[in-house]
Amino acid sequence: SDVTVTKGDLYPQVGFMAMNDFMKLDADPQKESWAVAVVASFPFFGSGETFYKIKQANESKKQAEYNYQSELLKTRAEVDSVWLAIDAAQQNIETAKAGVTQAEEDFRIMKLAYESGKRINLEYLDALTALFQAKTDYSKAILDYNNSVDQLYRVIGKDDFS
């Protein structure tokens, strides 16, 4: 719009005007006087400054287009990055879930062996610790996934999960 407004300074300005001398009309109706004029102005003297303003407005327009494209590419890169993080978090959830299943089975076997007297207390506690760590890893994988989804919503301009 700045370019269009500035170019408007180069167009000729044309006006029409008409007037009547009402004072003479009251005094002598025979001597009615009318004046009609067409006024045109051409911008010769300020055209250099106007061309400069047009050039500046075009440069501002180019800069705005560049900034828009830059932000668009930046946003696309952020969205792609977040999608990859979500995909990795989903895979981590599956891996951690398998780890929990394995740790539960190891703990079940260790508990039976400990109760039958074939294993010592330290081995039982190690199996319990491994189970706890597997469940912690699973919870962290779910947290990472939710954080990635939240970041995706922030990147696309949403503030909530609705």
Side-chain angles (χ1 to χ4, degrees), residues 7-162:
K7 282 183 179 180
D9 291 343
L10 292 176
Y11 300 137
Q13 306 294 319
V14 178
F16 176 78
M17 141 178 114
M19 64 181 175
N20 183 353
D21 190 352
F22 291 106
M23 298 304 283
K24 284 189 176 181
L25 183 64
D26 290 339
D28 186 8
Q30 303 285 334
K31 295 183 179 180
E32 188 173 339
S33 64
W34 283 88
V36 177
V38 174
V39 178
S41 66
F42 298 96
F44 292 119
F45 296 110
S47 61
E49 181 181 352
T50 302
F51 285 128
Y52 176 75
K53 287 180 183 177
I54 291 171
K55 183 178 178 184
Q56 290 299 101
N58 280 327
E59 290 301 318
S60 295
K61 181 180 172 184
K62 286 179 187 177
Q63 183 65 37
E65 288 172 357
Y66 171 79
N67 290 341
Y68 171 75
Q69 291 297 326
S70 176
E71 287 300 317
L72 188 65
L73 290 174
K74 181 180 164 187
T75 302
R76 282 183 185 163
E78 287 178 6
V79 169
D80 289 345
S81 174
V82 171
W83 273 117
L84 292 174
I86 289 173
D87 188 44
Q90 286 176 332
Q91 292 175 1
N92 287 343
I93 288 173
E94 295 302 317
T95 302
K97 193 174 191 179
V100 169
T101 304
Q102 181 64 40
E104 285 174 342
E105 183 62 20
D106 290 345
F107 178 71
R108 187 187 69 79
I109 292 170
M110 183 58 66
K111 183 177 179 185
L112 290 174
Y114 175 71
E115 289 173 351
S116 67
K118 300 204 186 244
R119 296 284 184 229
I120 62 172
N121 190 18
L122 182 61
E123 292 172 320
Y124 174 78
L125 291 175
D126 284 345
L128 183 61
T129 303
L131 177 60
F132 179 76
Q133 185 63 45
K135 287 182 178 182
T136 302
D137 291 344
Y138 179 69
S139 297
K140 185 180 180 314
I142 291 174
L143 176 68
D144 290 344
Y145 174 80
N146 287 334
N147 285 339
S148 296
V149 170
D150 182 55
Q151 186 167 354
L152 175 66
Y153 279 112
R154 277 188 268 131
V155 167
I156 63 174
K158 284 189 160 188
D159 291 333
D160 58 359
F161 287 104
S162 60

